Amino acid sequence: MTMHAESLRRSTPFVLQIVGYKNSGKTTMVTLLTKLLKQAGYTVGTAKHDAHDFTMDTPGTDTWRHQEAGADITAISSSARTAIISARAEPLSALLTHMQHVDIVLVEGFKQEHYPKLILLRSPEDESLLTLTNPIMTAVWPQANPRLLPHVPHFDINDIPAIYNHLLTHL
């Protein structure tokens, strides 16, 4: 564990929301930041809001069969991992209760929550995202050319080291 990660130990994780519209690079940003944080010795949780229905379990497996039978919630645990599948939407706060053991949680989406946000701006129409609560930085695609918030640092979408370093100042 690095000095940075050791100094972060706290009773609850730092939560960073990564928000943007479809195809703005949210998943790519989550994965890149996760890799950098893990390399620095942090424990990282991730959560995603999906506006569409999704399938996490594989057809034919036991947990898939449980869900097909109508189970409202299914949990599976092995010596290496645990997953919980629920047949209802859960608020971010409920998902975070399962992540109290990590240093930081990177949240993809859940735009209306009030955690610190990295806002991804891909096109001029994305400017409406700047009205969301608690922005701590923006990552801007070259073609976006938005009116930026003067009090919020902004970075090129591809300048991952600068985005990561700014994130570290909030930890």
Side-chain angles (χ1 to χ4, degrees):
M1 180 179 320
T2 68
M3 179 74 81
H4 289 295
E6 184 60 37
S7 66
L8 181 65
R9 298 290 176 235
R10 54 172 74 198
S11 60
T12 60
F14 178 82
V15 177
L16 176 69
Q17 291 180 254
I18 298 168
V19 298
Y21 291 123
K22 187 175 174 74
N23 296 319
S24 61
K26 296 181 299 293
T27 300
T28 299
M29 186 65 69
V30 167
T31 58
L32 291 171
L33 291 176
T34 297
K35 288 177 185 176
L36 290 171
L37 288 161
K38 291 300 296 174
Q39 288 170 2
Y42 294 99
T43 54
V44 180
T46 61
K48 176 180 172 51
H49 179 260
D50 193 330
H52 311 288
D53 199 14
F54 69 94
T55 303
M56 186 175 111
D57 210 8
T58 306
T61 64
D62 291 347
T63 54
W64 179 85
R65 292 173 59 201
H66 296 181
Q67 288 287 288
E68 279 295 296
D72 292 303
I73 187 166
T74 301
I76 183 170
S77 186
S78 71
S79 62
R81 58 187 1 179
T82 297
I84 299 171
I85 304 165
S86 180
R88 66 178 186 175
E90 293 286 351
L92 180 57
S93 60
L95 300 177
L96 293 176
T97 63
H98 298 285
M99 299 187 194
Q100 295 302 302
H101 63 287
V102 301
D103 297 318
I104 182 169
V105 179
L106 300 176
V107 176
E108 185 176 335
F110 290 95
K111 290 180 188 78
Q112 302 312 313
E113 294 289 337
H114 300 288
Y115 293 99
K117 290 177 184 61
L118 163 54
I119 300 174
L120 308 184
L121 302 170
R122 185 172 182 142
S123 71
E125 294 78 32
D126 295 353
E127 250 181 54
S128 63
L129 292 170
L130 297 175
T131 62
L132 294 174
T133 60
N134 211 1
I136 61 167
M137 64 179 135
T138 58
V140 182
W141 288 74
Q143 71 272 16
N145 199 25
R147 275 182 296 121
L148 296 168
L149 299 171
H151 63 284
V152 177
H154 60 277
F155 303 95
D156 182 280
I157 189 76
N158 296 307
D159 194 353
I160 302 304
I163 294 167
Y164 173 73
N165 286 329
H166 187 71
L167 170 58
L168 291 181
T169 68
H170 288 272
L171 298 180

